[in-house]
């Protein structure tokens, strides 16, 4: 079975339970929200690719917020939960939106794509010269820990995804006419443990060497060779 179909079946199967799952691990997801919101202002237009049931998009700043996902079940729930937001059932490899966005978010989805370069090339359709693309992805060093969490029932079992390094993503962005200009690593403990999580994530995670062990990696990128007079306000 192709990777697309495996992930499609998986997300369709968990769509009904996903809002509860998101809330269970909201400490982790809100850290991603806080990181993204640092670069978003209230007047920005925001596109989230792989929006799931809409919880993350709902918490992001921005004036016009749009979410897309390839799972009809996820999108149906997102529309019910957040009727003031705009959602579309759409494949990232074939974007059909007739507008440009100031900020584009891809949160923990690049490993699900069969061809990441195809997705990055599609992003040019919805980008202007000052668009900021924020990619959040798992550190591959965490794969054994995440698999252990699945075995213990602490994390939902997911199909095998592509584990891409920082260099892999930067190269793919370059081939897709995007320039990676900022990288960040965050989160040593992805669940809330009073005092302990704050100590590890706020202080220890910033130390050299230890920083490379963080779960979540971020890449900020901008398009090149796109002719547009639009800009982020």
């Amino acid at each position: 079975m192709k990777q697309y179909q495996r992930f499609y079946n998986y997300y369709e199967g968990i769509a009904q339970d996903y809002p509860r799952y998101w809330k269970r691990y909201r400490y982790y997801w809100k850290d991603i929200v806080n990181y993204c919101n640092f670069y978003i202002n209230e007047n920005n237009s925001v596109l989230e690719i792989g929006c799931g049931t809409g919880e993350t998009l709902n918490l992001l700043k921005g004036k016009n917020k749009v979410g897309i996902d390839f799972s009809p079940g996820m999108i149906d729930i997102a529309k019910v939960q957040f009727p003031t937001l705009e959602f579309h059932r759409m494949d990232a490899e074939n974007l059909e939106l007739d507008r440009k966005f100031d900020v584009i978010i891809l949160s923990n989805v690049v490993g699900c794509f069969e061809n990441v370069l195809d997705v990055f090339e599609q992003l040019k359709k919805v980008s202007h010269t000052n668009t900021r693309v924020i990619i959040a992805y798992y550190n591959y060093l965490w794969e054994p820990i995440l698999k252990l969490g699945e075995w213990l029932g602490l994390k939902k079992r997911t199909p095998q995804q592509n584990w891409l390094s920082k260099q892999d993503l930067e190269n793919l962005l370059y081939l897709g006419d995007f320039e990676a200009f900022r990288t960040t690593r965050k989160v040593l403990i992805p669940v809330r443990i009073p005092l302990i999580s704050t100590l590890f994530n706020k202080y220890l995670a910033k130390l050299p060497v230890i920083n490379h062990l963080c779960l979540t990696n971020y890449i900020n990128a901008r398009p090149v060779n796109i002719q547009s007079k639009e800009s982020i306000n």
Side-chain angles (χ1 to χ4, degrees):
M1 186 185 297
K2 289 186 177 181
Q3 180 165 319
Y4 178 95
Q5 194 63 48
R6 287 199 303 270
F7 277 99
Y8 179 88
N9 293 343
Y10 170 74
Y11 283 110
E12 279 291 277
I14 68 168
Q16 291 296 326
D17 293 331
Y18 196 78
R20 184 165 57 251
Y21 182 72
W22 192 98
K23 290 176 182 177
R24 180 181 179 186
Y25 293 105
R26 59 185 175 273
Y27 176 86
Y28 168 75
W29 291 111
K30 284 186 177 180
D31 189 80
I32 292 178
V33 168
N34 292 338
Y35 177 89
C36 294
N37 273 340
F38 183 82
Y39 299 104
I40 302 173
N41 71 52
E42 296 294 350
N43 293 317
N44 283 159
S45 56
V46 179
L47 170 65
E48 185 185 10
I49 293 177
C51 64
T53 49
E55 287 82 2
T56 297
L57 185 65
N58 181 59
L59 294 176
L60 292 174
K61 293 189 291 187
K63 186 175 182 180
N64 298 300
K65 299 188 289 186
V66 178
I68 70 162
D69 201 285
F70 72 163
S71 165
M74 292 282 191
I75 290 299
D76 287 346
I77 294 170
K79 288 179 176 179
V80 171
Q81 289 196 124
F82 309 108
T84 61
L85 302 182
E86 181 180 344
F87 295 100
H88 300 278
R89 190 282 178 207
M90 192 179 298
D91 290 337
E93 295 87 349
N94 185 28
L95 296 180
E96 297 178 342
L97 297 168
D98 59 353
R99 71 194 92 164
K100 311 292 185 182
F101 293 88
D102 300 321
V103 182
I104 301 173
I105 310 289
L106 296 93
S107 175
N108 293 339
V109 294
V110 291
C112 303
F113 301 137
E114 284 191 286
N115 192 321
V116 179
L117 179 57
D118 286 349
V119 175
F120 289 165
E121 289 179 337
Q122 287 289 304
L123 296 186
K124 290 184 288 187
K125 292 181 179 179
V126 291
S127 299
H128 53 66
T129 51
N130 290 313
T131 294
R132 177 189 291 267
V133 177
I134 302 176
I135 302 170
Y137 62 102
Y138 292 133
N139 182 347
Y140 71 93
L141 294 176
W142 273 70
E143 182 176 12
I145 300 173
L146 296 176
K147 289 301 180 184
L148 177 62
E150 292 179 359
W151 184 75
L152 294 173
L154 301 175
K155 178 183 179 296
K156 287 186 178 295
R157 293 183 180 272
T158 59
Q160 183 65 41
Q161 60 178 285
N162 298 319
W163 289 89
L164 300 169
S165 68
K166 170 178 170 288
Q167 190 66 48
D168 291 333
L169 288 170
E170 288 180 344
N171 289 338
L172 289 167
L173 284 164
Y174 174 79
L175 292 172
D177 289 330
F178 285 86
E179 173 192 20
F181 65 90
R182 176 176 288 115
T183 60
T184 308
R185 302 181 185 92
K186 290 173 63 66
V187 181
L188 286 169
I189 298 181
V191 294
R192 184 179 181 276
I193 304 173
L195 298 180
I196 300 297
S197 297
T198 299
L199 172 64
F200 275 74
N201 295 331
K202 189 173 182 179
Y203 301 104
L204 295 182
K206 297 178 181 179
L207 297 178
V209 180
I210 294 178
N211 182 251
H212 289 268
L213 302 177
C214 287
L215 169 60
T216 311
N217 293 343
Y218 295 92
I219 292 180
N220 286 246
R222 55 194 165 212
V224 294
N225 301 324
I226 292 181
Q227 298 300 317
S228 173
K229 294 183 179 180
E230 296 179 80
S231 63
I232 299 178
N233 294 327

